[in-house]
Amino acid sequence: MRTRYFLILVALVFLAACSTGSKDSDLEKEIYKGTTGVVVSFFGNNIGDEVFEGEQLNLPIKFENKGAYDVTNSKLVVAAEKGFMNFPGGSNIYQKSGIKLNGKNVFVTFDDFHIEELNLQVNKLSPLSEYHDSLVIVNFCYDYKNMAFTEVCIDTDPHNQRVSDKTCSQIDSIGLSGGQGGPVVINRIETRMLVFDNAIRPQFKIYISNTGKGTVISPNKIDSVCSQDSVGQQTYNSLKLTALDMSGYTLQNFECLPSELVLYRDEDFITCTLKSGISRDKQPYITPLKVELSYGYMDSAAKEIKINKILRV
């Protein structure tokens, strides 16, 4: 009798674990959705829209990570119009590195944020000016990534030459709608099974696009770009494929072209072919496929501030 109760208890625990695992899996799928990364905004309603010459201006800026990935490497540059507003120390440029923002996960589903409080000294206007519309520009550069998960059929009988039923058949195109938790998204993956004698070599054509309003930059180049140092044109719109995992095969097992992926008009594709063949004697099978991209991103925001002259009678 005790043995029976023990087995029932084990079964209940197993079912509860499976149920929880299913919920976590569903939640993880929801986390890796969306097409937004870090959102930059001026915090507060109408703060600093209108000031008088000679005043001190407080300007809070909010950085909110709405994506699925952590921000650990970042650079902030804020530029006020020279001659009209200065930061403490007299410069019209404010720079800061190392703002960190956590991405979402199965335990934390809210958007992590950081507020940077900026203080500006408003300069005197020309005696001939009653007011001046001045602009503050914010550039925030950060390294980010993209991870896409799907399932593919490794069809070892692409021409249907066998009499027996197949577990699966090659799907020519796999759509990945909804994004993967960042501004750079993988839209779809086209699959082909290339036949070489008694083996097949799976080939994946991965279509990528920038759906955000910002600019894609090479990973680990954010400091140079945000500081407006001299950088080559190849620094912009450049991404790196950092992982391609499939049933025991990794990125090193694939030949990918082009080696340097550059988005043309915010979109492009990369083609990866397995270097070694999979025997056609093996039955077709379904396997998980993971694709990971690394890239930098620059998002910007601007605020117009009206500087009024103090009129004296």
Side-chain angles (χ1 to χ4, degrees), residues 27 33 61 88 98 110 127 163 173 179 225 230 245 280 291 299 301 310:
L27 183 58
K33 279 189 176 181
I61 304 173
F110 60 84
V163 178
S173 182
V225 173
S230 177
D245 298 335
R280 297 179 66 188
V291 182
D299 212 345
I310 299 176

Side-chain angles (χ1 to χ4, degrees), residues 4-53:
R4 180 184 176 187
Y5 286 145
F6 177 76
L7 292 175
I8 292 174
L9 181 61
V10 170
L12 289 173
V13 171
F14 176 76
L15 288 173
C18 288
S19 176
T20 303
S22 176
K23 289 179 181 178
D24 287 347
S25 178
D26 291 342
L27 183 58
E28 191 174 39
K29 289 178 182 178
E30 288 300 314
I31 289 170
Y32 289 102
K33 279 189 176 181
T35 58
T36 307
V38 177
V39 175
V40 181
S41 61
F42 291 92
F43 189 61
N45 295 326
N46 301 320
I47 293 179
D49 284 351
E50 195 166 347
V51 295
F52 285 95
E53 60 179 353

Side-chain angles (χ1 to χ4, degrees), residues 107-149:
F107 302 106
V108 180
T109 57
F110 60 84
D111 301 330
D112 192 17
F113 68 91
H114 170 82
I115 296 176
E116 190 75 10
E117 295 275 358
L118 299 181
N119 294 303
L120 284 160
Q121 174 66 50
V122 182
N123 297 334
K124 295 282 187 178
L125 292 180
S126 164
L128 301 178
S129 300
E130 291 186 6
Y131 70 90
H132 177 77
D133 291 326
S134 190
L135 202 62
V136 176
I137 299 174
V138 178
N139 286 329
F140 185 67
C141 299
Y142 58 98
D143 280 332
Y144 220 50
K145 65 170 63 175
N146 169 294
M147 289 194 294
F149 304 91

Side-chain angles (χ1 to χ4, degrees), residues 32 34-35 69 145-150 174-190 204-211 239-244 261 263 266 268-270 289-295:
Y32 289 102
T35 58
Y69 313 99
K145 65 170 63 175
N146 169 294
M147 289 194 294
F149 304 91
T150 188
I174 303 170
L176 299 172
S177 62
Q180 292 90 37
V184 172
V185 303
I186 296 173
N187 298 308
R188 71 183 189 277
I189 300 174
E190 293 180 356
F204 304 110
K205 184 178 285 188
I206 304 163
Y207 289 83
I208 302 156
S209 65
N210 174 21
T211 61
L239 304 96
K240 187 175 182 181
L241 180 66
T242 48
L244 183 61
L261 179 60
L263 299 181
D266 285 333
D268 208 338
F269 64 85
I270 184 169
L289 178 70
K290 173 190 171 183
V291 182
E292 181 181 286
L293 303 170
S294 293
Y295 60 96

